[in-house]
Amino acid sequence: CPDLRSYGLLLYEDMPSSLRAAFQDAPVSLPNLTSFKLIVGITLDTCEVAEPLVNFLRKKTRLRRLDLELISRQGNYRLSPFLNILTSLTHLEILGIRLVDLDHDYLTHTNMKLLDSKLPLGLTALLLHLDIGDMQDDIHQRLIAMVRTVSS
């Protein structure tokens, strides 16, 4: 489907190795993709998922919407590979990120600073689905600063 513009995947469990291989082997597939949504439970180290997925997304130069929901059940989640590609997605207007892990807080000060630095200038919509109740105070302050910067 070379004309496919919107693609969404909902995987209740881990991303199958065959799908990771497809993302890895064909990063230039779906060249007209403008919207991509992925919901996946990650039970293995996210490096095994992130590398092929990031390589796939990096080639989507027409991408205007990106929604990622990553669910980790073993405290093995890494956010930075996904944040680092945001600046290469120059047409990105809508970004949604949901991180779920019962045992860890992935919106650390470092990740929040990285997110703030990587947000594309053309972004018109941002959804961060977070468990704010367990966040450190400096993360609260960073979110507030982010809102104030955007609104001024």
Side-chain angles (χ1 to χ4, degrees):
C1 297
D3 292 329
L4 192 67
R5 299 208 190 301
S6 182
Y7 186 49
L9 286 172
L10 170 59
L11 303 169
Y12 288 107
E13 295 300 323
D14 202 359
M15 185 181 292
S17 59
S18 56
L19 185 55
R20 289 193 310 269
F23 281 127
Q24 185 67 39
D25 297 342
V28 294
S29 64
L30 304 174
N32 296 316
L33 204 62
T34 59
S35 178
F36 183 76
K37 180 173 187 133
L38 175 67
I39 300 173
V40 63
I42 298 173
T43 57
L44 50 84
D45 191 311
T46 52
C47 286
E48 293 181 46
V49 174
E51 185 177 340
L53 185 56
V54 165
N55 288 338
F56 173 79
L57 290 172
R58 186 177 284 122
K59 304 289 184 183
K60 304 302 162 255
T61 57
R62 297 179 183 185
L63 203 62
R64 294 178 48 224
R65 179 186 187 125
L66 176 61
D67 287 308
L68 295 174
E69 182 172 332
L70 306 172
I71 304 165
S72 175
R73 294 179 180 93
Q74 296 179 345
N76 53 12
Y77 182 72
R78 290 172 185 84
L79 181 60
S80 59
F82 297 100
L83 296 180
N84 283 326
I85 64 163
L86 292 178
T87 54
S88 66
L89 302 175
T90 57
H91 290 94
L92 196 63
E93 297 174 9
I94 301 167
L95 175 64
I97 297 176
R98 180 175 186 219
L99 309 175
V100 178
D101 189 296
L102 298 175
D103 301 322
H104 297 84
D105 176 13
Y106 290 108
L107 198 68
T108 62
H109 181 74
T110 302
N111 280 338
M112 191 64 192
K113 194 172 180 179
L114 182 62
L115 172 64
D116 198 15
S117 71
K118 299 295 183 178
L119 289 175
L121 294 176
L123 205 64
T124 60
L126 174 64
L127 171 64
L128 297 176
H129 188 153
L130 310 166
D131 184 0
I132 291 181
D134 293 335
M135 271 190 225
Q136 303 163 9
D137 189 54
D138 62 327
I139 303 300
H140 287 153
Q141 296 306 317
R142 196 84 171 138
L143 284 170
I144 292 166
M146 191 183 219
V147 170
R148 286 185 177 146
T149 301
V150 171
S151 64
S152 51

